[in-house]
Amino acid sequence: MMKIWSMKKQQKDAEVAAAASGKKKFSAADLRVIKDLEHLSLSDTMELKRELDNYKNFTLAINPDEGMYKGGHFEFAFEIKPTFPYDAPKVRCTQKIYHPNIDLEGNVCLNILREDWKPVLNLNAIFVGVQYLFLEPNASDPLNKEAAEDLKHNREGFKRNVRAAMGGGTVKGESFDRVLK
Amino acid sequence: MAAADVATLHNGSEGPRTRWKYLDRILDRPGPFTDPESFVPGNHETLEIAKVLVIGAGGLGCEVLKNLALSGFKDIHVIDMDTIDVSNLNRQFLFRAADVGKYKAEVAAAFVEKRVKGVKITPYCGKIQDKDEAYYKQFALIVCGLDSIEARRWINSMLVGMVDGNDPDSMKPLIDGGTEGFKGQAKVIFPTMTSCIECQLDMHAPRAAVPLCTLATIPRQPQHCIEWAHIIAWEEERKEMTLDTDDPEHITWLFQKALKRAKEFNIPGVTYSMTQGVVKNIIPAIASTNAIVAASCCNEAFKILTNANPFLGFPETDGYMMYTGDESVYTYTFEYKKKEDCPVCGEDALARPLQIDPEATLQEFVDSLAERPEAQLKTPSIRTTEKSLYIQSAADYERMTRPNLEKKMKDLTAEGEEMLISDKAFPMMFKFVVVWKK
């Protein structure tokens, strides 16, 4: 042990850390979230809504400027657990929308939120992933089965349904939230 | 040596160290790999006076406590917040059926004390988070047998934060054991010297998850139906209630839901105990894996304190031993490199004292950061654990925090508080401890 310590001495003329004992410290999850939030590169189509001192809960808004969902404004609630980044954040769409990969309760099917999540990924990767769902809705990973069927077999009909749902209309008896900007 | 040889092992009356006859052979003479500079032959005191902490008195903890006591450690402390469950009894051998419901730390301590005379085990039944720096400072080293990443990260950042450059005694070696089924690992961390738990976080494979869409649309296995009930059905129908995986009523509800869904899709095999296993993410614990990993952890503890043989984790040598027994047997030991930008033990993340004039305004402090040659932060964002003082990473936060610029430092923070300073221009963050300039 003493040998290791003398190595440390040589390594660097160590500075004295003032005792912070008793005071609250940043948790490892806090540090990682702050770091991720500091180094975001948000595109013009993304907005982050966050209370100043709350790193654990925030809202990401996606405003697609191309594709079938162009002109919409979609909000996702993020919840960061104390186990972040070991566990992925919990992400939920707060509006009722018509989308093959998002169900009517707001659950989101995105691989990096579940089976492909790794601690090396960061919040930016998730933001980009969520945005991608609006550019390329994916019919082969359905969470809203009807929407996926429509997309697969009747693309024009699907587009019409998207517009109707975004306007707050009804698709096959299900009414949706108005999400137009 | 000759005297030790004639003593019989089983008869305690032969002499006070009869029980330790074989241990003394290692303590009394160097081996071929022993470092002559640090090893003192015949030193029995180190082990006897060393106070060691064992975190966790479960599968690994039982093994670790037994091993340490039988390796000559005399002053052992143990922390565990859990009580004994009947399902623990197959491998947590310090517990008996009559102990079910009692605290693990207490029962384990009493059992080992009874079996190994002369060892003192001090239990604490509670959370590691209940204890502060002063508590952790009293130990020579810490052995962890934990089942959660969260607890590991907590104790890791506590031990890294405790290191004081002027006090060799402030660096506590952390020996971390972990098992999952047939796989396990033992690693030794010298906080701030070698890679820490946070540096290694990327390597912890999160538990295998099934895509949400599979659960929602095409379940193929009974587990898919259970996960569906757990994630989707519960949210839909019992949103107002927080799921308690220890509440039998909750598990029964999930089980019934899963069973119904399994019937719809013609999937056999959903049972109550499977539901419990999936929802609580129970991985079958293998007693022998625990024994292997705990043995390795205790050997390292013994070697670190006695210098009898080279130990795992010496800086710039291998510090991580992985073991897998699920496909034949394989083990590999390697060095996990320290992460330069580790948010916990990275050079800039170690809380350094920062002299601040309590009468200066935040604006003056921000200006000084740009001037300080070692910092040169032109657009810093500054936070304490309590609040954001000045944030420049986004225009609206800058606007919200701008009024703070006129306030005095003494009104924004306090001596001893942690302060985090980041700058978009740099990947790292700087952590300081506020010290008032006299």
Side-chain angles (χ1 to χ4, degrees):
Chain A
M1 277 300 296
M2 286 313 289
K3 200 166 184 176
I4 292 179
W5 190 257
S6 59
M7 280 177 70
K8 182 169 175 70
K9 281 285 181 199
Q10 285 160 14
Q11 194 182 56
K12 190 176 171 287
D13 197 16
E15 287 172 81
V16 200
S21 93
K23 295 275 177 191
K24 217 172 112 199
K25 294 184 175 189
F26 287 100
S27 77
D30 279 342
L31 294 171
R32 191 40 212 268
V33 179
I34 293 171
K35 190 173 174 175
D36 276 13
L37 291 173
E38 279 289 295
H39 293 95
L40 290 175
S41 49
L42 297 180
S43 66
D44 299 340
T45 51
M46 298 175 187
E47 268 174 82
L48 187 65
K49 298 175 188 175
R50 176 169 80 79
E51 288 165 46
L52 194 55
D53 294 319
N54 185 351
Y55 314 118
K56 302 283 165 67
N57 296 281
F58 51 83
T59 301
L60 172 75
I62 304 280
N63 306 304
D65 60 357
E66 56 180 313
M68 291 180 272
Y69 290 89
K70 184 176 172 180
H73 173 86
F74 304 96
E75 297 198 339
F76 292 84
F78 278 63
E79 184 191 331
I80 307 278
K81 298 177 211 167
T83 49
F84 180 81
Y86 178 69
D87 287 324
K90 216 169 156 186
V91 180
R92 182 174 281 270
C93 183
T94 55
Q95 302 142 315
K96 189 174 172 188
I97 65 168
Y98 174 81
H99 191 293
N101 310 114
I102 298 170
D103 72 15
L104 302 178
E105 273 69 43
N107 292 306
V108 182
C109 188
L110 179 65
N111 63 336
I112 55 171
L113 285 178
R114 273 182 69 80
E115 69 275 17
D116 290 332
W117 170 255
K118 290 176 186 66
V120 279
L121 295 171
N122 56 22
L123 289 177
N124 216 75
I126 297 177
F127 292 2
V128 172
V130 171
Q131 165 152 288
Y132 189 70
L133 290 177
F134 292 96
L135 301 178
E136 289 287 339
N138 178 359
S140 57
D141 286 338
L143 211 50
N144 177 341
K145 233 177 176 172
E146 274 104 54
E149 289 297 312
D150 291 343
L151 175 60
K152 214 183 282 178
H153 302 298
N154 177 9
R155 204 175 167 83
E156 284 310 310
F158 175 78
K159 275 189 196 170
R160 277 197 302 277
N161 289 346
V162 168
R163 300 318 299 181
M166 280 168 58
T170 304
V171 178
K172 290 175 185 165
E174 198 72 62
S175 60
F176 290 90
D177 287 343
R178 185 184 155 85
V179 293
L180 289 171
K181 263 201 116 166
Chain B
M1 240 66 51
D5 285 338
V6 288
T8 47
L9 180 65
H10 300 289
N11 191 345
S13 64
E14 292 287 332
R17 290 201 65 83
T18 312
R19 180 166 204 162
W20 313 109
K21 176 181 162 188
Y22 295 104
L23 188 71
D24 285 351
R25 288 190 181 160
I26 298 169
L27 291 175
D28 292 346
R29 57 195 183 198
F33 300 105
T34 309
D35 174 14
E37 279 174 46
S38 46
F39 179 67
V40 182
N43 175 2
H44 301 160
E45 288 75 46
T46 309
L47 278 184
E48 287 174 11
I49 58 171
K51 205 187 269 189
V52 297
L53 175 65
V54 176
I55 302 180
L60 276 169
C62 281
E63 293 275 356
V64 168
L65 287 168
K66 173 259 289 173
N67 290 350
L68 290 178
L70 292 174
S71 305
F73 289 84
K74 300 280 186 227
D75 192 356
I76 304 168
H77 289 236
V78 57
I79 300 188
D80 198 306
M81 62 187 283
D82 279 343
T83 52
I84 298 160
D85 186 84
V86 70
S87 65
N88 302 145
L89 300 178
N90 72 327
R91 64 191 184 285
Q92 300 178 19
F93 51 82
L94 302 177
F95 312 139
R96 297 290 174 264
D99 299 323
V100 169
K102 295 182 192 160
Y103 279 108
K104 288 184 173 181
E106 258 166 24
V107 176
F111 192 109
V112 175
E113 273 188 350
K114 199 172 136 206
R115 286 292 290 267
V116 188
K117 291 290 171 232
V119 65
K120 191 175 103 220
I121 304 192
T122 313
Y124 174 72
C125 307
K127 294 165 74 172
I128 53 173
Q129 288 87 347
D130 297 345
K131 300 292 191 182
D132 60 5
E133 274 198 30
Y135 174 82
Y136 291 106
K137 261 200 174 119
Q138 64 180 312
F139 301 105
L141 57 79
I142 289 152
V143 185
C144 280
L146 287 165
D147 59 0
S148 90
I149 296 279
E150 209 179 335
R152 281 191 175 86
R153 289 173 84 191
W154 189 89
I155 188 69
N156 178 63
S157 72
M158 165 61 84
L159 296 181
V160 169
M162 264 165 54
V163 177
D164 170 347
N166 285 340
D167 178 11
D169 206 33
S170 65
M171 184 174 60
K172 310 294 182 187
L174 173 65
I175 304 173
D176 178 44
T179 69
E180 201 174 87
F182 280 109
K183 290 183 245 175
Q185 118 264 311
K187 58 194 176 206
V188 177
I189 291 163
F190 289 96
T192 72
M193 292 286 295
T194 61
S195 82
C196 75
I197 301 272
E198 200 71 20
C199 296
Q200 301 173 3
L201 205 62
D202 294 349
M203 225 185 63
H204 287 272
R207 67 161 158 161
V210 182
L212 208 54
C213 29
T214 304
L215 299 181
T217 52
I218 37 156
R220 297 182 305 275
Q221 295 167 9
Q223 288 85 350
H224 294 168
C225 301
I226 297 167
E227 276 281 271
W228 171 84
H230 178 198
I231 294 172
I232 297 173
W234 184 276
E235 276 288 322
E236 271 175 29
E237 297 173 40
R238 305 186 87 179
K239 205 180 213 154
E240 66 299 333
M241 213 180 288
T242 313
L243 180 68
D244 176 4
T245 54
D246 289 320
D247 185 335
E249 193 273 323
H250 290 188
I251 298 289
T252 305
W253 190 91
L254 293 177
F255 168 54
Q256 298 296 351
K257 278 279 159 190
L259 202 60
K260 209 173 141 216
R261 186 166 175 84
K263 280 219 179 84
E264 276 169 41
F265 287 88
N266 279 322
I267 300 169
V270 173
T271 61
Y272 182 86
S273 66
M274 182 192 272
T275 308
Q276 215 175 8
V278 169
V279 172
K280 296 179 80 171
N281 192 28
I282 297 174
I283 293 146
I286 311 277
S288 41
T289 310
N290 284 341
I292 290 165
V293 167
S296 170
C297 290
C298 294
N299 281 348
E300 297 316 315
F302 179 85
K303 291 186 292 177
I304 288 169
L305 288 184
T306 62
N307 289 302
N309 259 340
F311 46 80
L312 194 67
F314 192 85
E316 279 156 52
T317 66
D318 297 344
Y320 193 122
M321 189 275 290
M322 55 84 64
Y323 160 85
T324 136
D326 52 356
E327 284 180 55
S328 183
V329 176
Y330 178 70
T331 170
Y332 182 64
T333 306
F334 60 97
E335 182 194 359
Y336 203 110
K337 296 274 184 196
K338 202 167 180 299
K339 239 190 192 169
E340 291 293 324
D341 62 345
C342 173
V344 171
C345 81
E347 199 62 24
D348 304 303
L350 298 176
R352 283 184 219 154
L354 183 66
Q355 299 257 347
I356 299 174
D357 178 359
E359 298 297 330
T361 62
L362 179 60
Q363 178 71 62
E364 286 165 338
F365 176 65
V366 169
D367 293 344
S368 77
L369 288 173
E371 286 157 17
R372 282 173 193 247
E374 77 277 18
Q376 297 203 26
L377 301 172
K378 306 273 190 253
T379 50
S381 290
I382 303 161
R383 300 173 169 81
T384 65
T385 46
E386 297 300 321
K387 53 183 176 285
S388 302
L389 302 188
Y390 187 51
I391 306 300
Q392 300 197 67
S393 50
D396 46 343
Y397 300 134
E398 196 278 331
R399 247 190 335 269
M400 284 153 76
T401 51
R402 200 182 299 156
N404 283 340
L405 288 173
E406 292 166 18
K407 294 185 187 158
K408 287 190 171 166
M409 292 308 284
K410 66 176 182 190
D411 299 325
L412 292 168
T413 180
E415 186 144 60
E417 194 165 43
E418 277 194 358
M419 182 181 274
L420 197 65
I421 303 180
S422 54
D423 190 313
K424 243 185 134 58
F426 299 102
M428 63 282 231
M429 300 190 290
F430 301 89
K431 203 160 76 187
F432 297 101
V433 175
V434 175
V435 180
W436 293 139
K437 206 181 268 174
K438 298 272 157 30

